[in-house]
Amino acid sequence: MAAGSAFAQTHEPTTPVDTDHAPPQVATATPPTCQALCAGQQIELELAEFVSSDRHKIGDRFKLRLATALSLDGTVILPAGTPGIGEVVHAQTSRGGGKPGELLLAARFLELPDGPLALRAMKLAARGQDKTGAALATSFVAGPFAMFMHGREIEIPAGTHAFAKLAQDLDPARAVPTPPTPAQAAAPAQETPRTTVAHDASTIKE
């Protein structure tokens, strides 16, 4: 029985493939390539509130804002001041033996009217220093980050500038209207001048 079975399998007739009537190959669509404001683009942020190793714990969120507007072809897509949220990834108060506090911060998203715009890879820069390529890592310990050390705790003041990257492409259609400047908002409405016809009518009436 075993031999007969093997024989039948080795001599089973094969069905020829009709190449003239083979189903057409379906072409896979190539996703469009991002041209601008793409995931991975670096943006400049600033902390909108104070963060410290002795007052914040893992999971705490803090306010950010966009420090430099994002533009495309001369058109502002996201104005400076667009609010955002960051999160404390690691926090440790100072400990015995002289060990300083520690902080690890992350930028999570910018708050757009139609939903969040995800961010990643936040790095802080010292305020007042050249920020072109001189970003500082967000894991703070004693040593090169002594500018944030107060006693043995790390305190990062509001207004500290940082860099992050877009974690997703930014569709220009999500542009946020630029708010008017204080001067524009305070400007009084101009009185509509009287037309020549109105002036003539008042003269006639008199």
Side-chain angles (χ1 to χ4, degrees):
M1 292 294 292
S5 176
F7 181 84
Q9 292 172 0
T10 55
H11 289 77
E12 184 178 354
T14 59
T15 303
V17 178
D18 185 357
T19 56
D20 294 334
H21 297 85
Q25 297 292 326
V26 178
T28 57
T30 303
T33 303
C34 179
Q35 299 298 323
L37 300 177
C38 306
Q41 177 172 325
Q42 182 172 273
I43 64 173
E44 187 173 5
L45 304 169
E46 66 176 343
L47 272 67
E49 63 178 299
F50 168 90
V51 182
S52 69
S53 58
D54 64 334
R55 298 184 184 182
H56 291 79
K57 61 184 184 298
I58 296 174
D60 284 352
R61 291 193 164 188
F62 57 91
K63 296 178 181 180
L64 299 167
R65 54 179 167 254
L66 188 62
T68 304
L70 292 182
S71 301
L72 178 61
D73 298 330
T75 300
V76 174
I77 304 301
L78 295 185
T82 298
I85 294 295
E87 184 176 343
V88 177
V89 179
H90 171 73
Q92 177 69 63
T93 60
S94 60
R95 291 148 288 168
K99 293 183 179 180
E102 299 173 0
L103 272 178
L104 180 60
L105 308 181
R108 291 308 187 198
F109 55 85
L110 291 175
E111 297 177 307
L112 276 57
D114 61 349
L117 175 66
L119 304 175
R120 64 179 181 87
M122 188 176 82
K123 295 181 179 181
L124 292 186
R127 190 175 186 180
Q129 290 186 352
D130 185 344
K131 297 184 287 291
T132 57
L136 303 179
T138 55
S139 180
F140 300 105
V141 294
F145 309 108
M147 58 188 160
F148 294 120
M149 296 296 295
H150 291 268
R152 289 188 297 165
E153 301 297 344
I154 298 171
E155 298 180 0
I156 307 175
T160 300
H161 280 236
F163 295 105
K165 294 181 179 180
L166 298 179
Q168 62 187 95
D169 298 342
L170 174 57
D171 186 347
R174 302 181 69 184
V176 176
T178 304
T181 63
Q184 292 173 332
Q190 295 183 353
E191 181 181 356
T192 303
R194 297 175 64 185
T195 63
T196 303
V197 175
H199 176 71
D200 292 344
S202 65
T203 303
I204 294 171
K205 184 177 179 180
E206 294 172 356

